[in-house]
Amino acid sequence: MIWQDLLKIRTDAPLVHNITNYVVMNTTANALLAIGASPVMAHAIEEVEEMTGLAQALVLNIGTLSQSWIEAMLIAGKEARRRNIPVVLDPVGCGATQFRTNTVQKLIDEIHPTVIRGNASEIRALISTGSGTKGVDSLHTPDEVSEDAARLSKSAECVVSVSGPVDLVVEGKVVVRIANGNTMMTKVTGMGCTSSAITGAFLAVNNSAIRAAAHAMAVMGIAGELAAERAAGPGSFQMNFLDSLYCIKESEISQRLKMQGFNQTSIG
Amino acid sequence: MIWQDLLKIRTDAPLVHNITNYVVMNTTANALLAIGASPVMAHAIEEVEEMTGLAQALVLNIGTLSQSWIEAMLIAGKEARRRNIPVVLDPVGCGATQFRTNTVQKLIDEIHPTVIRGNASEIRALISTGSGTKGVDSLHTPDEVSEDAARLSKSAECVVSVSGPVDLVVEGKVVVRIANGNTMMTKVTGMGCTSSAITGAFLAVNNSAIRAAAHAMAVMGIAGELAAERAAGPGSFQMNFLDSLYCIKESEISQRLKMQGFNQTSIG
Amino acid sequence: MIWQDLLKIRTDAPLVHNITNYVVMNTTANALLAIGASPVMAHAIEEVEEMTGLAQALVLNIGTLSQSWIEAMLIAGKEARRRNIPVVLDPVGCGATQFRTNTVQKLIDEIHPTVIRGNASEIRALISTGSGTKGVDSLHTPDEVSEDAARLSKSAECVVSVSGPVDLVVEGKVVVRIANGNTMMTKVTGMGCTSSAITGAFLAVNNSAIRAAAHAMAVMGIAGELAAERAAGPGSFQMNFLDSLYCIKESEISQRLKMQGFNQTSIG
């Protein structure tokens, strides 16, 4: 089914509207293009509602947030919900500052995102006050926060996708684990943000939010493995990652997939 | 003559002032450096007039526009015209939202750009209301909008450069076609924006706006061909594209050029 | 001692808070990750004080400055000084516009940065009014401005780091020269900004500001040499530069180092 989603992305080229941070705009636009989607970045209050209305998915990312961008996210997010366009929320650095934690809480309350995709520390910060993060990097593993993820999924009524050495994708009591990926992914900025953008692309072609979120993490992880095998460091990893997203084959997915939870496929 | 322009860019390193979008700032600065120009990005209302006064070309790009950036573009654009500094306008996503279409119309009316460089859907949106675009990607080919381009060239009294499988560069009744390029260029974000920036560099060294615009598209296309031949996907294409812009040789241009309109050179 | 600093950066992964320009955010975040540090970019007035309080170094860069960003820099810078967190100031394009020169003067007066890191024209513009720069590129060499650097070091009571063919790092009457590097570094945008960010990482692990600043320039230069030897142009240089920062070995540093001033090591 991952392959079916990918083919549909490549065929339909869904428009993914991103209101995201300055650091990763270029990276995530290129990742969306590489996988076959059509990215657009727009944040002006005067146009976000109209732009969201054209899109098949909306991705909100608070990485370099400021007041006017939050307003744009709220307008776009509400329009997306009104039109049943799926919304991914990436709570970058949530827990690092009160401003971030409060903003994410407000976005969740007012937008009701379809998927919240963050690292373990960010997800924990949404449930356990005072847990702390180190800037935008995680101090926890997804498995350490699986209960937090389940509670957040229940309270926010959405899918929670937690990236890390083994990714967790949680909806209520359903937990999917994806053990693909490579540590080189932590040496390049914006891989988490890219996961969120790619999740948007999968949501555009798959009505099951938990499947879309899991498929996105699987493709991210497998492309990361393929790229790491050809890389001498984070520079060549970045280049190979985009090439891998573009070239990834059905056989590479089926041979490498380590996803557990939907069916009997074991984690290798 | 393309080669003469390139040599002059490499020798003079003209300062190209860009008020452009967040997604492509890094990419276009690197492309300008690779070709031999000297890029500067500045958008503060307090300094754009002074910075424009130092530059040999100004590039305005509305990719991630907002109100304060439009004001900066208007100030810089008017100063450029007052000083006879050539101005390129890139109407990114024009037609996707009313805000974009209105902004581009205002910029054309108040600045009178030297060259408008966009994709076919963006150019059509400036002439035919209700034509629509898909976010920032084109739904039309340049040849489908050649009449629109001619009308826009006449009404805005400028050169209109339309990028696509075969690029069109139009000034009144003169139409130049450039058939260089590679489809991989559509799999990387910001190649259109890069065309606009490179057009700025050529305008800085060639007083004929139509020749400068055509030469820029030819060099973009040929560098794209060279890069695609060495690329395994969009990641390695990006890397090779910058290398190609930097290393491009006179013989590569003369052997590959597919430009029609100025003279008898046929499209291969 | 450079190697000890590098090991400490890789082990401690110090959090480096950057309020920097749009063009280089991605590049500098990736360079900090490649060297082993943990970057964070945040500029909202509501959170910069709190974010700075979590960091081991603060890097302020005015490349694409505007009024609200200057306010954020002032808040963050003052908080850093209050907490004895080292501050690097990069006066990008200082001298090109009055707005830049005035802003840098204000930041120096109110923050008292630990290190000012710029190119020769930027440093000169802080001392000699009317010297001029060409946008953000230098028209002078560090040696031509060594007296200006010494005067600035004295008046601002900080280390002054001037990048160029031979870098100068100056504190009062102490002058360190680093002759590493490669001209390809001038063909990629943001290498100066990356030097400033990397200086932040070294300040986080070395209490001697002059040593931290010199070590940063040495590692930048040596990584630049390694990358240039493997590069066909600025695209592949960029990729190899990140790989080199990540992979750099003790032997590569000791064999290539051309640093003069702390001891007898001669410039080769």
Side-chain angles (χ1 to χ4, degrees):
Chain A
M1 275 186 59
I2 295 175
W3 185 245
Q4 304 310 315
D5 283 1
L6 253 180
L7 285 184
K8 199 158 163 46
I9 292 171
R10 289 176 183 172
T11 308
D12 297 358
L15 187 68
V16 180
H17 179 199
N18 301 268
I19 305 180
T20 186
N21 73 70
Y22 302 121
V23 186
V24 306
M25 279 191 192
N26 187 270
T27 311
T28 53
N30 275 323
L32 285 167
L33 282 168
I35 206 172
S38 180
V40 70
M41 273 69 183
H43 67 285
I45 286 165
E46 293 89 341
E47 69 169 350
V48 283
E49 187 173 319
E50 199 176 347
M51 192 67 89
T52 296
L54 302 172
Q56 279 78 57
L58 173 67
V59 179
L60 305 176
N61 174 309
I62 65 156
T64 53
L65 81 176
S66 62
Q67 203 54 55
S68 63
W69 285 65
I70 298 168
E71 285 165 40
M73 290 184 196
L74 287 168
I75 295 170
K78 287 174 187 173
E79 177 68 4
R81 295 307 296 183
R82 204 177 65 76
R83 287 172 175 269
N84 285 318
I85 296 165
V87 180
V88 183
L89 173 62
D90 188 331
V92 180
C94 183
T97 67
Q98 201 58 47
F99 183 49
R100 284 175 191 251
T101 311
N102 293 347
T103 298
V104 174
Q105 203 56 65
K106 186 179 175 74
L107 290 169
I108 292 173
D109 292 346
E110 300 202 13
I111 292 172
H112 303 294
T114 318
V115 176
I116 300 174
R117 209 265 354 134
N119 67 35
S121 291
E122 290 157 355
I123 298 304
R124 169 153 290 182
L126 282 172
I127 291 295
S128 320
T129 52
S131 74
T133 73
K134 180 183 171 186
V136 295
D137 294 329
S138 187
L139 297 174
H140 304 281
T141 64
D143 264 321
E144 288 169 26
V145 303
S146 62
E147 282 181 37
D148 292 327
R151 285 173 59 201
L152 178 60
S153 170
K154 194 176 172 192
S155 67
E157 296 176 53
C158 70
V159 169
V160 175
S161 174
V162 196
S163 53
V166 177
D167 307 315
L168 286 190
V169 179
V170 179
E171 185 172 32
K173 290 179 179 175
V174 181
V175 179
V176 180
R177 282 181 170 76
I178 301 113
N180 292 105
N182 185 284
T183 54
M184 189 58 81
M185 297 170 87
T186 65
K187 299 298 175 191
V188 170
T189 196
M191 290 304 283
C193 304
T194 300
S195 299
S196 297
I198 296 293
T199 299
F202 277 88
L203 284 168
V205 298
N206 192 322
N207 287 324
S208 160
I210 188 168
R211 286 190 182 274
H215 294 179
M217 298 315 291
V219 168
M220 284 293 298
I222 293 168
E225 292 173 13
L226 292 165
E229 287 166 14
R230 293 167 196 145
S236 44
F237 174 80
Q238 271 191 291
M239 179 189 80
N240 284 300
F241 182 75
L242 285 176
D243 283 357
S244 295
L245 277 183
Y246 181 77
C247 297
I248 198 165
K249 295 194 186 78
E250 186 172 15
S251 59
E252 290 169 329
I253 294 173
S254 60
Q255 284 163 21
R256 288 175 180 265
L257 184 65
K258 296 179 184 171
M259 187 158 71
Q260 196 181 51
F262 290 129
N263 53 37
Q264 304 311 81
T265 315
S266 67
I267 294 190
Chain B
M1 276 186 61
I2 296 175
W3 184 246
Q4 303 310 316
D5 283 2
L6 252 180
L7 286 183
K8 199 158 164 47
I9 292 171
R10 289 177 183 172
T11 307
D12 297 357
L15 187 68
V16 180
H17 178 199
N18 301 270
I19 306 181
T20 186
N21 74 70
Y22 302 123
V23 186
V24 306
M25 279 191 192
N26 186 271
T27 310
T28 53
N30 275 323
L32 285 167
L33 282 168
I35 207 172
S38 179
V40 70
M41 273 72 181
H43 67 285
I45 285 164
E46 293 89 342
E47 70 169 351
V48 284
E49 188 174 318
E50 199 177 347
M51 192 66 91
T52 296
L54 302 171
Q56 279 78 56
L58 173 67
V59 179
L60 305 177
N61 174 310
I62 65 157
T64 54
L65 81 176
S66 62
Q67 201 55 54
S68 63
W69 286 65
I70 297 168
E71 286 166 39
M73 289 184 196
L74 287 168
I75 296 170
K78 287 175 188 173
E79 177 68 4
R81 296 307 296 183
R82 204 178 64 76
R83 289 173 174 268
N84 285 318
I85 296 165
V87 180
V88 183
L89 173 62
D90 189 330
V92 181
C94 183
T97 67
Q98 200 58 46
F99 184 49
R100 285 175 190 250
T101 310
N102 292 347
T103 297
V104 174
Q105 203 56 65
K106 186 180 175 74
L107 291 169
I108 292 174
D109 292 345
E110 300 201 13
I111 293 171
H112 302 293
T114 318
V115 176
I116 300 173
R117 210 271 346 137
N119 66 36
S121 292
E122 290 157 356
I123 298 304
R124 170 153 292 182
L126 281 170
I127 292 293
S128 320
T129 52
S131 74
T133 74
K134 180 183 171 186
V136 295
D137 293 330
S138 186
L139 298 174
H140 303 281
T141 65
D143 265 322
E144 287 169 26
V145 302
S146 62
E147 281 182 39
D148 292 327
R151 285 172 59 199
L152 178 60
S153 171
K154 194 176 174 193
S155 67
E157 295 176 54
C158 70
V159 169
V160 175
S161 174
V162 196
S163 52
V166 177
D167 308 315
L168 285 191
V169 180
V170 178
E171 185 172 31
K173 291 180 180 175
V174 181
V175 179
V176 180
R177 284 182 167 76
I178 300 114
N180 292 105
N182 185 285
T183 54
M184 189 57 83
M185 298 171 86
T186 64
K187 298 300 174 190
V188 169
T189 195
M191 290 304 283
C193 304
T194 300
S195 299
S196 297
I198 296 294
T199 300
F202 278 87
L203 284 169
V205 299
N206 192 324
N207 287 324
S208 161
I210 187 169
R211 286 190 183 274
H215 294 180
M217 298 314 293
V219 169
M220 285 292 299
I222 293 169
E225 291 173 14
L226 292 165
E229 287 166 15
R230 295 166 195 144
S236 45
F237 174 81
Q238 270 192 293
M239 180 189 81
N240 283 302
F241 181 75
L242 285 176
D243 284 358
S244 296
L245 277 184
Y246 181 76
C247 298
I248 198 164
K249 293 193 188 79
E250 186 173 13
S251 59
E252 290 169 330
I253 295 173
S254 59
Q255 283 163 20
R256 288 175 179 265
L257 184 64
K258 297 180 185 169
M259 186 159 70
Q260 197 182 49
F262 290 130
N263 52 37
Q264 305 310 80
T265 315
S266 66
I267 295 190
Chain C
M1 277 186 58
I2 296 174
W3 184 246
Q4 305 310 314
D5 283 2
L6 252 180
L7 286 182
K8 200 159 162 45
I9 291 170
R10 289 177 182 172
T11 309
D12 296 359
L15 187 68
V16 180
H17 178 198
N18 302 270
I19 306 181
T20 187
N21 73 71
Y22 301 121
V23 186
V24 305
M25 280 192 190
N26 186 271
T27 310
T28 54
N30 274 324
L32 285 167
L33 282 168
I35 206 172
S38 179
V40 71
M41 273 70 182
H43 68 285
I45 285 164
E46 293 90 342
E47 71 169 349
V48 283
E49 187 174 319
E50 198 177 348
M51 192 66 91
T52 297
L54 302 172
Q56 279 77 55
L58 173 66
V59 179
L60 305 177
N61 175 310
I62 65 155
T64 52
L65 81 176
S66 61
Q67 203 54 54
S68 64
W69 285 65
I70 297 167
E71 286 166 39
M73 289 185 195
L74 287 167
I75 296 171
K78 287 174 186 172
E79 178 68 5
R81 295 307 297 182
R82 206 178 63 77
R83 288 173 175 267
N84 285 318
I85 296 166
V87 180
V88 183
L89 174 61
D90 189 330
V92 181
C94 183
T97 66
Q98 201 57 47
F99 184 50
R100 285 175 190 250
T101 310
N102 293 347
T103 298
V104 173
Q105 204 55 66
K106 186 180 174 76
L107 290 169
I108 292 173
D109 292 346
E110 300 201 15
I111 292 172
H112 301 294
T114 317
V115 177
I116 300 173
R117 210 263 357 129
N119 67 35
S121 292
E122 290 157 356
I123 297 304
R124 169 152 291 181
L126 283 171
I127 291 295
S128 319
T129 50
S131 75
T133 74
K134 181 184 170 183
V136 297
D137 294 329
S138 186
L139 297 175
H140 304 282
T141 66
D143 264 322
E144 288 169 24
V145 303
S146 62
E147 281 181 40
D148 292 327
R151 286 172 60 200
L152 179 60
S153 171
K154 195 176 172 192
S155 67
E157 295 176 53
C158 70
V159 169
V160 175
S161 175
V162 196
S163 52
V166 177
D167 308 315
L168 287 190
V169 181
V170 179
E171 185 171 33
K173 292 180 180 174
V174 182
V175 179
V176 180
R177 283 182 170 76
I178 301 113
N180 293 104
N182 184 284
T183 54
M184 190 58 82
M185 298 170 86
T186 65
K187 298 299 174 192
V188 171
T189 196
M191 289 304 283
C193 305
T194 300
S195 299
S196 297
I198 296 293
T199 300
F202 278 88
L203 284 168
V205 299
N206 192 323
N207 287 324
S208 162
I210 188 169
R211 285 189 183 275
H215 294 180
M217 297 315 292
V219 169
M220 285 291 299
I222 294 169
E225 292 172 15
L226 293 165
E229 288 166 14
R230 294 167 197 144
S236 45
F237 174 81
Q238 271 192 293
M239 179 190 81
N240 283 301
F241 182 76
L242 285 176
D243 284 359
S244 295
L245 277 183
Y246 181 76
C247 297
I248 197 164
K249 293 193 189 78
E250 187 172 14
S251 60
E252 290 169 329
I253 294 173
S254 59
Q255 284 163 19
R256 288 174 180 264
L257 184 65
K258 296 179 185 170
M259 186 158 71
Q260 196 182 50
F262 290 130
N263 52 38
Q264 305 310 82
T265 315
S266 66
I267 295 190

